[in-house]
Amino acid sequence: MEAALAKRKKSQPLNQPSCGSVFKNPEGHSAGALIEEAGLKGVRTGGAQISEKHANFIVNVDNATARDVMELIELARTKVKEAYGIELQPEVRFLGFS
């Protein structure tokens, strides 16, 4: 367990508030790698940012709103679809959105 936690601490932004891993990995791909390769690592909307440590995490860097997070989710889905023809599927549940 200690080795697994150490690995996660190295590769994931566990020291920042986030909604966790946002997208399921498409078959044969890493969602984080696709987002990073699309040039989105570190992109910020309002107080939310695509993590510079792991691009499949959206972190709260400055009082992010749900709308800030949703805009980044949609941006990632759009850019990855345009660049690779792959539709990212969220693994988070959206509550209170239509």
Side-chain angles (χ1 to χ4, degrees):
M1 280 182 19
E2 288 176 13
L5 181 58
K7 182 179 175 184
R8 286 180 55 213
K9 282 183 180 179
K10 234 182 199 180
S11 65
Q12 298 176 4
L14 300 180
N15 63 329
Q16 295 176 286
S18 76
C19 64
S21 183
V22 177
F23 298 104
K24 298 175 186 175
N25 287 327
E27 191 170 324
H29 299 278
S30 160
L34 291 169
I35 295 165
E36 182 175 350
E37 291 165 12
L40 297 175
K41 203 171 195 182
V43 169
R44 185 172 169 170
T45 296
Q49 180 181 40
I50 295 177
S51 173
E52 294 178 353
K53 195 169 198 178
H54 191 307
N56 197 20
F57 284 75
I58 296 177
V59 294
N60 183 344
V61 293
D62 185 24
N63 296 312
T65 65
R67 182 62 44 212
D68 297 339
V69 173
M70 289 299 295
E71 286 181 23
L72 288 177
I73 288 171
E74 287 308 313
L75 177 65
R77 293 184 81 194
T78 299
K79 294 294 185 185
V80 168
K81 176 74 172 170
E82 288 173 356
Y84 307 106
I86 296 171
E87 288 210 29
L88 293 177
Q89 300 299 316
E91 63 180 348
V92 295
R93 289 183 27 190
F94 303 102
L95 302 174
F97 291 90
S98 53

